[in-house]
Short mmCIF file of all heavy atoms in Angstrom, two decimals:
data_model
loop_
_atom_site.label_atom_id
_atom_site.label_comp_id
_atom_site.label_asym_id
_atom_site.label_seq_id
_atom_site.Cartn_x
_atom_site.Cartn_y
_atom_site.Cartn_z
N ASP A 1 108.41 71.94 108.14
CA ASP A 1 107.69 71.34 107.02
C ASP A 1 107.50 69.87 107.37
O ASP A 1 108.47 69.15 107.62
CB ASP A 1 108.51 71.50 105.74
CG ASP A 1 107.79 70.98 104.52
OD1 ASP A 1 107.16 69.90 104.59
OD2 ASP A 1 107.89 71.65 103.47
N LEU A 2 106.26 69.41 107.42
CA LEU A 2 105.97 68.05 107.87
C LEU A 2 106.33 66.98 106.84
O LEU A 2 106.39 65.81 107.18
CB LEU A 2 104.51 67.93 108.28
CG LEU A 2 104.15 68.73 109.53
CD1 LEU A 2 102.66 68.67 109.82
CD2 LEU A 2 104.95 68.26 110.74
N VAL A 3 106.60 67.37 105.60
CA VAL A 3 107.01 66.40 104.58
C VAL A 3 108.54 66.29 104.53
O VAL A 3 109.10 65.22 104.61
CB VAL A 3 106.45 66.78 103.19
CG1 VAL A 3 107.00 65.88 102.10
CG2 VAL A 3 104.93 66.72 103.21
N SER A 4 109.21 67.44 104.41
CA SER A 4 110.67 67.43 104.26
C SER A 4 111.41 67.50 105.60
O SER A 4 112.62 67.31 105.64
CB SER A 4 111.12 68.61 103.41
OG SER A 4 110.92 69.82 104.11
N SER A 5 110.70 67.81 106.68
CA SER A 5 111.27 67.99 108.03
C SER A 5 112.21 69.19 108.11
O SER A 5 112.93 69.34 109.09
CB SER A 5 111.99 66.73 108.50
OG SER A 5 111.07 65.68 108.65
N ARG A 6 112.21 70.06 107.10
CA ARG A 6 113.04 71.27 107.16
C ARG A 6 112.37 72.31 108.04
O ARG A 6 111.14 72.46 108.02
CB ARG A 6 113.24 71.86 105.76
CG ARG A 6 114.38 71.18 105.03
CD ARG A 6 114.67 71.89 103.74
NE ARG A 6 113.74 71.33 102.76
CZ ARG A 6 113.51 71.81 101.57
NH1 ARG A 6 114.15 72.88 101.16
NH2 ARG A 6 112.65 71.25 100.76
N GLU A 7 113.21 73.01 108.79
CA GLU A 7 112.70 74.08 109.64
C GLU A 7 113.02 75.43 109.01
O GLU A 7 114.03 75.58 108.33
CB GLU A 7 113.32 74.02 111.04
CG GLU A 7 112.83 72.85 111.86
CD GLU A 7 113.32 72.88 113.29
OE1 GLU A 7 113.87 73.89 113.74
OE2 GLU A 7 113.13 71.86 113.98
N ALA A 8 112.14 76.39 109.26
CA ALA A 8 112.33 77.76 108.78
C ALA A 8 111.90 78.70 109.89
O ALA A 8 111.01 78.37 110.68
CB ALA A 8 111.52 78.01 107.53
N VAL A 9 112.55 79.84 109.94
CA VAL A 9 112.20 80.86 110.93
C VAL A 9 111.76 82.11 110.17
O VAL A 9 112.46 82.59 109.28
CB VAL A 9 113.40 81.19 111.84
CG1 VAL A 9 113.02 82.28 112.85
CG2 VAL A 9 113.90 79.95 112.56
N TYR A 10 110.57 82.61 110.51
CA TYR A 10 110.02 83.79 109.88
C TYR A 10 109.63 84.80 110.94
O TYR A 10 109.27 84.44 112.05
CB TYR A 10 108.73 83.45 109.10
CG TYR A 10 108.91 82.44 108.00
CD1 TYR A 10 108.33 81.18 108.10
CD2 TYR A 10 109.64 82.74 106.86
CE1 TYR A 10 108.47 80.25 107.08
CE2 TYR A 10 109.80 81.81 105.85
CZ TYR A 10 109.21 80.57 105.96
OH TYR A 10 109.35 79.64 104.97
N THR A 11 109.68 86.07 110.57
CA THR A 11 109.09 87.12 111.37
C THR A 11 107.87 87.60 110.61
O THR A 11 107.98 87.95 109.43
CB THR A 11 110.08 88.28 111.60
OG1 THR A 11 111.25 87.76 112.25
CG2 THR A 11 109.47 89.37 112.47
N VAL A 12 106.71 87.61 111.25
CA VAL A 12 105.48 88.03 110.59
C VAL A 12 105.36 89.54 110.75
O VAL A 12 105.37 90.07 111.87
CB VAL A 12 104.24 87.32 111.20
CG1 VAL A 12 102.98 87.75 110.47
CG2 VAL A 12 104.41 85.81 111.14
N VAL A 13 105.28 90.24 109.61
CA VAL A 13 105.25 91.70 109.61
C VAL A 13 104.11 92.20 108.73
O VAL A 13 103.48 91.44 108.00
CB VAL A 13 106.59 92.28 109.10
CG1 VAL A 13 107.74 91.93 110.04
CG2 VAL A 13 106.90 91.79 107.68
N ASP A 14 103.84 93.50 108.79
CA ASP A 14 102.85 94.13 107.94
C ASP A 14 103.32 94.07 106.49
O ASP A 14 104.52 93.96 106.22
CB ASP A 14 102.66 95.60 108.37
CG ASP A 14 101.52 96.27 107.64
OD1 ASP A 14 100.37 96.09 108.06
OD2 ASP A 14 101.79 96.98 106.64
N ARG A 15 102.40 94.17 105.56
CA ARG A 15 102.72 94.07 104.14
C ARG A 15 103.79 95.07 103.70
O ARG A 15 104.52 94.81 102.77
CB ARG A 15 101.45 94.25 103.31
CG ARG A 15 100.94 95.67 103.34
CD ARG A 15 99.48 95.78 103.00
NE ARG A 15 99.02 97.16 103.15
CZ ARG A 15 98.72 97.71 104.30
NH1 ARG A 15 98.82 97.02 105.41
NH2 ARG A 15 98.32 98.96 104.36
N THR A 16 103.90 96.21 104.38
CA THR A 16 104.88 97.22 103.99
C THR A 16 106.30 96.83 104.38
O THR A 16 107.26 97.39 103.85
CB THR A 16 104.55 98.58 104.63
OG1 THR A 16 104.55 98.43 106.05
CG2 THR A 16 103.21 99.10 104.15
N GLU A 17 106.46 95.89 105.29
CA GLU A 17 107.78 95.47 105.76
C GLU A 17 108.23 94.14 105.19
O GLU A 17 109.37 93.74 105.40
CB GLU A 17 107.78 95.32 107.30
CG GLU A 17 107.72 96.60 108.06
CD GLU A 17 107.85 96.33 109.54
OE1 GLU A 17 108.99 96.04 109.99
OE2 GLU A 17 106.85 96.40 110.24
N GLY A 18 107.34 93.44 104.51
CA GLY A 18 107.66 92.09 104.03
C GLY A 18 108.92 92.05 103.18
O GLY A 18 109.12 92.89 102.31
N ASN A 19 109.78 91.08 103.46
CA ASN A 19 111.00 90.86 102.68
C ASN A 19 111.42 89.41 102.91
O ASN A 19 112.17 89.11 103.84
CB ASN A 19 112.11 91.82 103.11
CG ASN A 19 113.33 91.70 102.23
OD1 ASN A 19 113.53 90.71 101.53
ND2 ASN A 19 114.17 92.72 102.27
N PRO A 20 110.94 88.50 102.05
CA PRO A 20 111.24 87.07 102.25
C PRO A 20 112.73 86.76 102.31
O PRO A 20 113.13 85.82 102.99
CB PRO A 20 110.58 86.40 101.04
CG PRO A 20 109.55 87.37 100.57
CD PRO A 20 110.08 88.74 100.92
N LEU A 21 113.55 87.52 101.61
CA LEU A 21 115.00 87.27 101.64
C LEU A 21 115.59 87.50 103.02
O LEU A 21 116.63 86.96 103.36
CB LEU A 21 115.71 88.14 100.60
CG LEU A 21 115.33 87.86 99.15
CD1 LEU A 21 116.03 88.85 98.21
CD2 LEU A 21 115.65 86.43 98.75
N GLU A 22 114.92 88.33 103.83
CA GLU A 22 115.36 88.58 105.20
C GLU A 22 114.55 87.77 106.21
O GLU A 22 114.67 87.99 107.41
CB GLU A 22 115.24 90.08 105.52
CG GLU A 22 116.16 90.96 104.74
CD GLU A 22 115.98 92.44 105.06
OE1 GLU A 22 115.13 92.77 105.94
OE2 GLU A 22 116.65 93.26 104.44
N GLY A 23 113.71 86.87 105.72
CA GLY A 23 112.89 86.06 106.62
C GLY A 23 111.68 86.80 107.17
O GLY A 23 111.07 86.36 108.14
N LYS A 24 111.32 87.92 106.55
CA LYS A 24 110.17 88.71 107.00
C LYS A 24 109.02 88.43 106.04
O LYS A 24 109.08 88.79 104.86
CB LYS A 24 110.50 90.20 107.00
CG LYS A 24 111.56 90.57 108.00
CD LYS A 24 111.87 92.05 107.92
CE LYS A 24 112.94 92.42 108.92
NZ LYS A 24 113.28 93.85 108.83
N ILE A 25 107.98 87.76 106.56
CA ILE A 25 106.83 87.45 105.71
C ILE A 25 105.66 88.34 106.09
O ILE A 25 105.42 88.60 107.26
CB ILE A 25 106.45 85.96 105.76
CG1 ILE A 25 106.15 85.52 107.19
CG2 ILE A 25 107.54 85.10 105.13
CD1 ILE A 25 105.50 84.16 107.27
N SER A 26 104.95 88.77 105.09
CA SER A 26 103.82 89.65 105.27
C SER A 26 102.62 88.91 105.84
O SER A 26 102.43 87.72 105.58
CB SER A 26 103.46 90.24 103.90
OG SER A 26 102.17 90.78 103.92
N ASP A 27 101.83 89.63 106.60
CA ASP A 27 100.61 89.05 107.15
C ASP A 27 99.55 88.80 106.09
O ASP A 27 98.53 88.17 106.36
CB ASP A 27 100.04 89.95 108.26
CG ASP A 27 99.64 91.33 107.76
OD1 ASP A 27 100.23 91.82 106.78
OD2 ASP A 27 98.75 91.95 108.37
N VAL A 28 99.78 89.26 104.86
CA VAL A 28 98.85 88.99 103.76
C VAL A 28 99.41 87.98 102.77
O VAL A 28 98.78 87.68 101.77
CB VAL A 28 98.40 90.29 103.04
CG1 VAL A 28 97.60 91.17 103.97
CG2 VAL A 28 99.58 91.04 102.45
N SER A 29 100.62 87.45 103.06
CA SER A 29 101.18 86.38 102.23
C SER A 29 100.46 85.08 102.57
O SER A 29 99.84 84.97 103.63
CB SER A 29 102.68 86.24 102.50
OG SER A 29 102.89 85.72 103.80
N PRO A 30 100.53 84.07 101.70
CA PRO A 30 99.82 82.82 102.00
C PRO A 30 100.19 82.23 103.36
O PRO A 30 99.31 81.89 104.15
CB PRO A 30 100.24 81.89 100.86
CG PRO A 30 100.54 82.82 99.72
CD PRO A 30 101.13 84.04 100.36
N ILE A 31 101.47 82.14 103.67
CA ILE A 31 101.86 81.55 104.96
C ILE A 31 101.58 82.51 106.12
O ILE A 31 101.15 82.08 107.19
CB ILE A 31 103.32 81.07 104.96
CG1 ILE A 31 103.58 80.22 106.21
CG2 ILE A 31 104.29 82.20 104.85
CD1 ILE A 31 104.86 79.44 106.17
N GLY A 32 101.77 83.80 105.90
CA GLY A 32 101.50 84.78 106.95
C GLY A 32 100.05 84.79 107.38
O GLY A 32 99.74 84.82 108.57
N MET A 33 99.13 84.74 106.40
CA MET A 33 97.69 84.74 106.73
C MET A 33 97.31 83.51 107.54
O MET A 33 96.50 83.59 108.46
CB MET A 33 96.85 84.76 105.45
CG MET A 33 96.83 86.12 104.79
SD MET A 33 95.57 86.28 103.49
CE MET A 33 95.98 84.98 102.36
N VAL A 34 97.91 82.37 107.22
CA VAL A 34 97.58 81.12 107.92
C VAL A 34 98.16 81.12 109.34
O VAL A 34 97.54 80.62 110.27
CB VAL A 34 98.07 79.91 107.11
CG1 VAL A 34 97.97 78.63 107.91
CG2 VAL A 34 97.27 79.78 105.82
N LEU A 35 99.35 81.69 109.51
CA LEU A 35 100.02 81.66 110.82
C LEU A 35 99.39 82.60 111.85
O LEU A 35 99.40 82.31 113.05
CB LEU A 35 101.50 81.98 110.67
CG LEU A 35 102.37 80.92 110.01
CD1 LEU A 35 103.78 81.43 109.81
CD2 LEU A 35 102.35 79.63 110.81
N ILE A 36 98.86 83.76 111.40
CA ILE A 36 98.31 84.74 112.34
C ILE A 36 97.27 84.08 113.25
O ILE A 36 96.40 83.36 112.80
CB ILE A 36 97.70 85.94 111.58
CG1 ILE A 36 98.79 86.78 110.92
CG2 ILE A 36 96.83 86.81 112.48
CD1 ILE A 36 99.64 87.60 111.87
N ARG A 37 97.42 84.33 114.55
CA ARG A 37 96.53 83.86 115.63
C ARG A 37 96.65 82.36 115.92
O ARG A 37 95.87 81.83 116.70
CB ARG A 37 95.08 84.24 115.37
CG ARG A 37 94.83 85.72 115.39
CD ARG A 37 93.34 86.03 115.40
NE ARG A 37 93.11 87.45 115.29
CZ ARG A 37 92.82 88.09 114.17
NH1 ARG A 37 92.69 87.43 113.04
NH2 ARG A 37 92.63 89.39 114.17
N LYS A 38 97.60 81.68 115.31
CA LYS A 38 97.80 80.26 115.61
C LYS A 38 98.77 80.17 116.79
O LYS A 38 99.44 81.12 117.16
CB LYS A 38 98.37 79.51 114.40
CG LYS A 38 97.46 79.52 113.18
CD LYS A 38 96.14 78.85 113.45
CE LYS A 38 95.29 78.65 112.22
NZ LYS A 38 94.68 79.83 111.64
N LYS A 39 98.83 78.95 117.39
CA LYS A 39 99.64 78.76 118.59
C LYS A 39 100.74 77.74 118.36
O LYS A 39 100.65 76.92 117.44
CB LYS A 39 98.75 78.27 119.75
CG LYS A 39 97.68 79.25 120.14
CD LYS A 39 96.80 78.67 121.22
CE LYS A 39 95.68 79.63 121.56
NZ LYS A 39 94.75 79.07 122.52
N GLU A 40 101.74 77.79 119.24
CA GLU A 40 102.79 76.77 119.23
C GLU A 40 102.14 75.40 119.29
O GLU A 40 101.18 75.19 120.03
CB GLU A 40 103.73 76.93 120.43
CG GLU A 40 104.70 78.06 120.30
CD GLU A 40 105.62 78.18 121.52
OE1 GLU A 40 105.65 77.26 122.37
OE2 GLU A 40 106.31 79.20 121.61
N GLY A 41 102.68 74.45 118.52
CA GLY A 41 102.17 73.09 118.54
C GLY A 41 101.06 72.83 117.53
O GLY A 41 100.73 71.68 117.26
N GLN A 42 100.49 73.89 116.96
CA GLN A 42 99.43 73.69 115.97
C GLN A 42 100.02 73.34 114.61
O GLN A 42 101.11 73.79 114.26
CB GLN A 42 98.58 74.96 115.81
CG GLN A 42 97.46 75.08 116.80
CD GLN A 42 96.54 76.23 116.43
OE1 GLN A 42 96.90 77.39 116.62
NE2 GLN A 42 95.36 75.91 115.93
N GLU A 43 99.27 72.53 113.86
CA GLU A 43 99.62 72.24 112.48
C GLU A 43 98.77 73.14 111.60
O GLU A 43 97.60 73.37 111.89
CB GLU A 43 99.34 70.77 112.13
CG GLU A 43 100.31 69.81 112.76
CD GLU A 43 100.08 68.37 112.30
OE1 GLU A 43 99.42 68.15 111.26
OE2 GLU A 43 100.56 67.47 113.00
N VAL A 44 99.38 73.64 110.52
CA VAL A 44 98.66 74.49 109.57
C VAL A 44 98.92 73.99 108.16
O VAL A 44 99.96 73.39 107.89
CB VAL A 44 99.07 75.97 109.70
CG1 VAL A 44 98.65 76.55 111.04
CG2 VAL A 44 100.55 76.16 109.47
N GLU A 45 97.97 74.25 107.28
CA GLU A 45 98.14 73.90 105.88
C GLU A 45 98.14 75.19 105.08
O GLU A 45 97.24 76.02 105.24
CB GLU A 45 97.00 72.98 105.42
CG GLU A 45 97.19 72.47 104.02
CD GLU A 45 96.15 71.42 103.66
OE1 GLU A 45 95.08 71.83 103.19
OE2 GLU A 45 96.42 70.22 103.88
N VAL A 46 99.15 75.35 104.23
CA VAL A 46 99.31 76.57 103.46
C VAL A 46 99.21 76.25 101.98
O VAL A 46 99.90 75.35 101.49
CB VAL A 46 100.69 77.22 103.75
CG1 VAL A 46 100.86 78.49 102.94
CG2 VAL A 46 100.86 77.50 105.23
#
């Protein structure tokens, strides 16, 4: 997070597997949709 400097680790999964409590975010969630096809070093806005 570029404001708070907190780091988070997510696994991007299909909507049927999503479970934020386990760090699994769906590819149709706001952050999942933005992250898909992005690369290391890129900044994204969610």
Side-chain angles (χ1 to χ4, degrees):
D1 183 318
L2 293 175
V3 173
S4 69
S5 295
R6 276 187 275 169
E7 289 187 11
V9 179
Y10 300 113
T11 301
V12 182
V13 295
D14 187 82
R15 71 202 176 280
T16 59
E17 288 185 75
N19 186 342
L21 297 176
E22 294 178 1
K24 295 178 180 178
I25 58 168
S26 163
D27 62 332
V28 295
S29 69
I31 191 167
M33 285 193 302
V34 170
L35 289 174
I36 290 288
R37 295 191 185 98
K38 298 299 189 288
K39 297 177 183 176
E40 284 180 11
Q42 275 190 285
E43 288 185 19
V44 294
E45 186 172 88
V46 180

